[in-house]
Amino acid sequence: MSDRTATSVVVTLASITGLPQEVCEQPDAILEHDLGVDSLALLEVVEILQERLGITVPDEVTVRVRTVADLQDAVRPLVTASASTTPKDTAS
């Protein structure tokens, strides 16, 4: 995962939860139990990540997210796909 993507996930979780980034970067942290991220907060996290990273996270992916690693694994291919389909600026 790119540093930008990993940082965006951690910063967004920390912003929504109010917890330190060190807590939010633990891959095995369970979003609801360890970070207090309920389903509504998860939707807010996903919305912010979509805006920051220029991606769309399908609902069926969001409902499977349970841990920080799950969220990172869900976002990683979407960012990669977005980067590979973004038109390059050809203006000189």
Side-chain angles (χ1 to χ4, degrees):
M1 180 182 300
S2 75
D3 288 342
R4 176 178 172 255
T5 303
T7 300
S8 290
V9 169
V10 171
V11 167
T12 301
L13 285 169
S15 172
I16 295 300
T17 64
L19 296 169
Q21 289 185 13
E22 295 78 25
V23 173
C24 296
E25 67 188 7
Q26 299 302 314
D28 59 346
I30 299 169
L31 296 177
E32 187 169 12
H33 182 264
D34 297 328
L35 304 182
V37 177
D38 62 13
S39 58
L40 187 58
L42 179 58
L43 291 177
E44 190 175 352
V45 167
V46 169
E47 184 177 311
I48 291 169
L49 288 172
Q50 290 179 136
E51 289 177 21
R52 285 186 180 168
L53 301 173
I55 60 174
T56 300
V57 180
D59 292 340
E60 59 270 12
V61 171
T62 303
V63 299
R64 292 192 310 257
V65 171
R66 300 284 180 254
T67 67
V68 172
D70 290 345
L71 182 57
Q72 292 171 334
D73 290 345
V75 170
R76 180 184 302 117
L78 300 172
V79 171
T80 301
S82 175
S84 68
T85 59
T86 303
K88 303 288 186 240
D89 184 10
T90 56
S92 298

